Amino acid sequence: MRTRHHKSRSPRSRLLTACSLLASLGCLWTAPNAAHAGLSNDGLDWVAIGSPGNRGILPEETDLYRGPLGAVDYDYRMTRTEITYSQWFEFVQAYAPYYEGSHGDSTFLGRFIIYSISTQSYELQRGAENYPIEVGWRFAARYCNWLHNDKALTENAFQAGAYDTSTFGDNPDGTFTDQLTHSPNARYWIPTDNEWLKAAYYDPNRYGENQEGYWLYPYASNEPPIPGNPADGATTNAGPGGSFANRNAGSYPWANAPWGLLDVSGGAEEWLEDATSGLNGPLARGWRGSGWGDDGYQTYDRNDWSFLTRVGSQIGLRVASVPTPGSLLVIWIMAPWALRRRNQQ
């Protein structure tokens, strides 16, 4: 089910505001013209999203106005690319002792992890290590719990932290009982629609120095991405008929969003935290962006399109997180220079 849906978010809790203040002590700026942060202790590559208190999108900055989406009043981080199979495989191996479902459940394993009957273990297919994952929402939530708990190998590390998995359940009418938004003290979570939209389309210097705004498409453009091979100068592996194969995350390093995100187009469609309600309860979770081979990339990649699907569908994941202590000082110093340089290119 692909139903367009957008949902504004209320201001974040005081805890995240405090984390943002701590973050103002400094982190490496990760925009294209500035220093690369590299991997953090959790093994993920992060991009810092600043400009807290930015405005939402305006009617003239979109084709289908859905309200002033994209406003976020706190600092946060997003993974530079979608979570890859090598990163997910570590989670699969850690969670396997507690997993009680089918060994072949693709919403747990994705496309390229299999269960070997002969070895009675999970195996990652060679060559797929850096492909973006496509998994179910509830397993994405467990992954965030695991990160929140510093990748501990105890069962409770997967059960709570960002999302209370004891709430996960389905009603007879197809609605679900899952916790709708991440816990206030979560350190990692599935991005909200506003967080995702800001990270992908918002530019503090969209109309000139310190003149904020939004692009219609990712990569600071009002024109659709160009599908094709990286060697040909293309900017996405989305495209008609699935003619462009799955590729390693970050295969188009020149196609970066204003904050430095890669693979906003192509790679994999990405889960959102936002849910919509059915007649008797929540019915589906949101997702944004196009995946590899998506025919409708020119629509899916726009800032005014998001969709809904069942929690058991296979969608990719880009994780959001609180800024680390000492994370934004370099942003304060370098962001105006870096974004100004970008707009001059």
Side-chain angles (χ1 to χ4, degrees):
M1 176 176 66
R2 291 182 173 179
T3 305
R4 285 171 278 168
H5 171 69
H6 295 271
K7 181 179 177 182
S8 296
R9 304 293 300 177
S10 59
R12 181 103 20 213
S13 68
R14 292 179 180 177
L15 174 66
L16 288 181
T17 302
C19 289
S20 294
L21 292 174
L22 286 173
S24 65
L25 297 175
C27 164
L28 289 180
W29 168 248
T30 54
N33 294 312
H36 191 291
L39 296 178
S40 61
N41 291 336
D42 51 30
L44 303 178
D45 185 9
W46 295 98
V47 169
I49 313 297
S51 297
N54 65 294
R55 68 164 172 81
I57 196 168
L58 299 177
E60 59 267 27
E61 295 173 318
T62 185
D63 289 342
L64 297 172
Y65 185 64
R66 302 288 180 183
L69 299 172
V72 180
D73 63 359
Y74 45 86
D75 295 307
Y76 60 104
R77 299 182 297 167
M78 293 269 279
T79 50
R80 188 179 301 276
T81 67
E82 295 120 347
I83 299 302
T84 66
Y85 270 93
S86 62
Q87 293 163 338
W88 189 258
F89 187 53
E90 183 186 3
F91 163 74
V92 167
Q93 292 176 304
Y95 185 55
Y98 313 108
Y99 176 63
E100 298 179 349
S102 167
H103 287 311
D105 185 355
S106 59
T107 64
F108 173 39
L109 304 177
R111 300 171 185 263
F112 299 104
I113 299 174
I114 61 173
Y115 181 78
S116 171
I117 297 176
S118 61
T119 62
Q120 296 187 338
S121 63
Y122 293 100
E123 298 177 358
L124 173 57
Q125 296 182 33
R126 184 173 299 178
E129 293 86 353
N130 292 315
Y131 288 174
I133 58 156
E134 294 167 284
V135 295
W137 192 95
R138 287 171 176 165
F139 287 109
R142 288 183 174 90
Y143 180 77
C144 292
N145 286 345
W146 184 55
L147 293 176
H148 173 92
N149 292 298
D150 297 320
K151 297 184 177 180
L153 300 181
T154 55
E155 185 173 10
N156 60 3
F158 305 94
Q159 295 174 334
Y163 305 94
D164 182 356
T165 61
S166 69
T167 68
F168 290 3
D170 299 301
N171 297 313
D173 65 351
T175 59
F176 56 78
T177 60
D178 303 20
Q179 177 179 334
L180 291 183
T181 60
H182 60 273
S183 300
N185 64 339
R187 297 166 55 207
Y188 301 84
W189 62 90
I190 299 168
T192 67
D193 193 22
N194 283 334
E195 291 165 346
W196 201 101
L197 195 154
K198 177 178 179 177
Y201 303 101
Y202 174 76
D203 187 339
N205 298 306
R206 166 70 176 85
Y207 300 106
E209 186 173 357
N210 298 321
Q211 297 181 46
E212 63 180 348
Y214 292 79
W215 299 94
L216 182 60
Y217 285 96
Y219 317 138
S221 176
N222 282 335
E223 299 297 325
I226 302 170
N229 297 318
D232 298 329
T235 56
T236 182
N237 66 338
S243 57
F244 302 108
N246 208 337
R247 296 186 185 278
N248 291 341
S251 289
Y252 302 85
W254 48 85
N256 37 56
W259 295 99
L261 267 61
L262 299 176
D263 304 332
V264 179
S265 173
E269 300 153 348
E270 299 178 24
W271 281 118
L272 300 174
E273 183 178 87
D274 299 62
T276 188
S277 291
L279 192 60
N280 299 311
L283 185 63
R285 296 283 183 173
W287 59 271
R288 273 192 178 271
S290 62
W292 67 276
D294 271 348
D295 292 359
Y297 73 99
Q298 293 188 12
T299 297
Y300 300 169
D301 287 340
R302 287 189 347 210
N303 65 25
D304 50 23
W305 282 85
S306 63
F307 303 84
L308 291 165
T309 192
R310 302 289 183 177
V311 295
S313 299
Q314 288 183 247
I315 304 290
L317 173 66
R318 192 186 301 262
V319 177
S321 176
V322 294
T324 56
S327 67
L328 295 180
L329 179 60
V330 179
I331 286 184
W332 285 2
I333 297 172
M334 297 185 67
W337 170 81
L339 289 170
R340 183 165 59 249
R341 277 199 62 192
R342 178 184 179 88
N343 287 340
Q344 291 172 348
Q345 289 181 344

